[in-house]
Amino acid sequence: MKVQVNEIKEGLQHFHGSETIFQIPLLRTRYTNGLKYLAEAAECFWLITDTSVIAKSLMNRSEFITIDFKRLSEERQDFTGYEAEIIYTDGNDNVLEKHGYRATDFPLDELRLFFVNDTLMLPSEY
């Protein structure tokens, strides 16, 4: 059962620094309480897996990676054929990689994550 968008946004406000670190077994990527909450509330474990695979592949180019999920406007969707995209940057607006998603059930229109020291986190947990 999915949690409503406003409830997820509200829930995400409560994560600052993370005492507990979880790990994706095969990838050995760590992730924080905030990400665990998000994955469960929005049913988006795919987001943790996808973003950590790609961010790991970019670690040789930047130690700090920002990950921005963005749902595209209807015009952009019609033009690109993608419903959403995830953009990976080095934190200084240098795009390292961009991935389009033809369809997504992710409830939020935008989300920013950080990937540092093999750990995926919310900006408020950095």
Side-chain angles (χ1 to χ4, degrees):
M1 179 206 119
K2 277 200 186 157
V3 180
Q4 293 303 310
V5 171
N6 290 342
E7 210 176 312
I8 292 172
K9 286 181 177 172
E10 172 63 31
L12 291 175
Q13 306 292 316
H14 301 288
F15 295 97
H16 303 284
S18 190
E19 307 273 312
T20 317
I21 297 290
F22 305 93
Q23 188 167 319
I24 302 171
L26 288 171
L27 299 171
R28 298 215 180 298
T29 301
R30 296 184 300 264
Y31 60 98
T32 57
N33 278 329
L35 266 284
K36 183 177 193 306
Y37 165 79
L38 179 68
E40 289 171 354
E43 294 177 9
C44 66
F45 282 98
W46 64 268
L47 184 71
I48 292 180
T49 309
D50 279 19
T51 53
S52 63
V53 165
I54 294 160
K56 265 174 139 42
S57 75
L58 299 170
M59 283 169 53
N60 60 338
R61 295 173 57 196
S62 179
E63 288 179 17
F64 181 90
I65 296 170
T66 61
I67 300 166
D68 286 296
F69 173 93
K70 200 168 258 141
R71 188 174 315 280
L72 302 176
S73 67
E74 283 191 29
E75 291 114 42
R76 291 282 300 147
Q77 288 184 29
D78 292 342
F79 179 73
T80 62
Y82 293 116
E83 188 180 337
E85 63 185 11
I86 297 180
I87 300 169
Y88 299 80
T89 72
D90 63 2
N92 295 316
D93 297 326
N94 297 308
V95 174
L96 304 171
E97 199 150 332
K98 190 187 277 198
H99 284 259
Y101 288 79
R102 295 201 178 281
T104 181
D105 60 356
F106 188 64
L108 304 180
D109 288 335
E110 295 187 330
L111 177 71
R112 169 166 275 192
L113 302 174
F114 290 162
F115 186 80
V116 193
N117 297 329
D118 226 8
T119 306
L120 203 54
M121 64 191 76
L122 297 168
S124 61
E125 293 177 302
Y126 180 62

